[in-house]
Amino acid sequence: MSDTDTPAILVIGGAGYIGSHTTLALAAAGYRTVVYDNFSTGHRDVCFGDALVEGDLHDRKKLAQTMRDHDIQAVVHFAALIEAGESVVDPLPFFENNVAGTLKLLGAMQDAGVGRLVFSSTAACYGNQSTGDLLDENLPRDPVNPYGHSKAMVEVVLETLAAAHGLNAIALRYFNASGADPEGRTGERHDPETHLIPLVIDAARGKRANIKIFGTDYDTDDGTCIRDYIHVNDLASGHVAAIDYLLKHNEVGFQAMNLGTGRGNSVREVIDAVRKMAGKDFPVVEEARREGDPAILVADAGRANEILGWQARYSNIDGIVRDAWNFAVKTDQ
Ligand code: UFG
């Protein structure tokens, strides 16, 4: 290692929502960070790395060169297409980017001799297996859309490489990423936005006519879907904990871990939290169910708690809504 022995971490997709928060958290934990992004969906004004390399996930040579140039000790990989609904309509780009692109990255890691990876995975790996119990990592992968398949396929590749070549890889399965940096340095800026919390905030701020509830006849207390909303800063600290762990342990192999809170909120509870923050009412329209939505998705976060010593600290719905609200107002989205 160089640079006074401060480990350098390559953050692929560091200009995105979770990537930008994680870069801030890695820096706060004392790591050097190199952001690598092609800016297809990311934003230049939230690149917080010590260095920035503009490049594509498919550019194996550039990736390997970047790892050598910066003496990279571990990689965190966020760069992915994420819209599950869009993946059903047009699946090929999801496999091209999320699977084929990640294979290039893994090749580059081999070329440069980098053997530690934290991979952005998803609760979508579980598909519709929720019975209302907390979802734990012992359940088989059973995605129900191409987005979830693309992530589950990469998990299989990582597992295989871990067995064959000793790759050390942790796949973090995020539940519902939400909120924003409490200091307002970065936040959620998807285009188009499809996620519940920013859409409800837009409705409350008069930026859209209403919020639609997709389904009020689910088998839940208030009839709407329940999700495990996890503050993006908790996701960021989960990545720091995974990097710490990979740098301390030599034979990690492949491990999948949930990042969630173990508690869920219904769509109506989210709307109520935004109503409270806004201090006013706004139109809510009850619609039919959206295809592919499981009724309840809540994580058992025991494995990440136990192995990484990680705990969600920011993830209560009022705090999530407050930080998301403040970011939306600040950037006037
Ligand atoms: N919802 C509405 N109205 C909207 C938007 C969403 O009622 O306008 C509902 C959805 O039906 C769902 C809940 O709000 O019940 C949350 O929906 P999101 O679109 O915000 O998030 P999802 O749970 O569908 O999916 C998100 C990510 C996925 C990830 C998953 C993991 O987008 O990539 O969380 O739980 F896999």
Side-chain angles (χ1 to χ4, degrees), residues 82-84 122-124 147 174-177 194-197 199 208 211-215 225-227 229 267 290 293-294 297:
I82 59 161
E83 294 302 341
T122 171
Y147 164 71
Y174 315 150
F175 281 65
N176 286 56
T194 61
H195 293 103
L196 179 65
I197 292 177
L199 291 179
R208 49 188 297 126
I211 183 70
K212 297 182 170 58
I213 300 182
F214 297 146
C225 287
I226 292 176
R227 293 289 180 274
Y229 294 93
V267 175
R290 185 173 71 177
D293 275 347
L297 281 180

Side-chain angles (χ1 to χ4, degrees), residues 283-314:
V284 175
V285 178
E286 297 188 0
E287 297 248 319
R289 293 182 180 198
R290 185 173 71 177
E291 203 189 326
D293 275 347
I296 303 176
L297 281 180
V298 181
D300 178 336
R303 191 181 285 184
N305 292 164
E306 199 178 306
I307 296 178
L308 302 181
W310 169 85
Q311 296 277 355
R313 296 189 195 289
Y314 291 85

Side-chain angles (χ1 to χ4, degrees), residues 183-332:
E183 294 175 39
R185 293 167 292 180
T186 180
E188 191 163 14
R189 281 194 278 167
H190 295 124
D191 186 17
E193 189 54 78
T194 61
H195 293 103
L196 179 65
I197 292 177
L199 291 179
V200 182
I201 289 174
D202 279 355
R205 295 180 65 228
K207 303 270 175 188
R208 49 188 297 126
N210 56 49
I211 183 70
K212 297 182 170 58
I213 300 182
F214 297 146
T216 54
D217 59 348
Y218 284 96
D219 188 13
T220 59
D221 283 351
D222 68 18
T224 65
C225 287
I226 292 176
R227 293 289 180 274
D228 187 338
Y229 294 93
I230 176 155
H231 194 292
V232 63
N233 265 16
D234 285 329
L235 291 180
S237 70
H239 291 77
V240 174
I243 288 288
D244 289 345
Y245 189 83
L246 287 172
L247 290 172
K248 273 194 207 117
H249 299 83
N250 287 325
E251 290 182 14
V252 176
F254 171 81
Q255 303 213 30
M257 297 182 200
N258 290 338
L259 290 185
T261 70
R263 294 182 312 270
N265 289 105
S266 70
V267 175
R268 287 195 205 278
E269 285 172 346
V270 169
I271 292 172
D272 284 344
V274 175
R275 207 176 267 133
K276 200 161 73 179
M277 177 79 210
K280 62 174 183 188
D281 214 348
F282 47 88
V284 175
V285 178
E286 297 188 0
E287 297 248 319
R289 293 182 180 198
R290 185 173 71 177
E291 203 189 326
D293 275 347
I296 303 176
L297 281 180
V298 181
D300 178 336
R303 191 181 285 184
N305 292 164
E306 199 178 306
I307 296 178
L308 302 181
W310 169 85
Q311 296 277 355
R313 296 189 195 289
Y314 291 85
S315 299
N316 64 79
I317 198 65
D318 291 333
I320 285 171
V321 164
R322 180 198 60 229
D323 292 341
W325 177 278
N326 288 340
F327 184 74
V329 170
K330 181 182 170 192
T331 52
D332 196 34

Side-chain angles (χ1 to χ4, degrees), residues 70-206:
H70 294 274
D71 193 18
I72 292 298
Q73 302 298 308
V75 175
V76 189
H77 172 32
F78 295 100
L81 301 183
I82 59 161
E83 294 302 341
E86 174 63 22
S87 79
V88 177
V89 179
D90 189 14
L92 192 56
F94 284 77
F95 294 110
E96 280 174 336
N97 185 86
N98 299 3
V99 182
T102 301
L103 297 182
K104 298 285 187 192
L105 169 63
L106 291 166
M109 289 174 65
Q110 278 190 4
D111 298 345
V114 178
R116 303 180 187 99
L117 175 70
V118 179
F119 173 64
S120 286
S121 193
T122 171
C125 286
Y126 296 113
N128 285 325
Q129 294 178 86
S130 180
T131 54
D133 292 337
L134 302 183
L135 291 159
D136 74 49
E137 299 87 348
N138 295 321
L139 286 164
R141 298 180 189 99
D142 190 18
V144 293
N145 54 56
Y147 164 71
H149 276 292
S150 74
K151 293 288 184 174
M153 285 165 81
V154 171
E155 285 198 4
V156 172
V157 173
L158 298 180
E159 207 162 23
T160 310
L161 295 186
H165 305 299
L167 174 72
N168 289 319
I170 297 179
L172 296 176
R173 293 180 177 165
Y174 315 150
F175 281 65
N176 286 56
S178 47
D181 173 42
E183 294 175 39
R185 293 167 292 180
T186 180
E188 191 163 14
R189 281 194 278 167
H190 295 124
D191 186 17
E193 189 54 78
T194 61
H195 293 103
L196 179 65
I197 292 177
L199 291 179
V200 182
I201 289 174
D202 279 355
R205 295 180 65 228

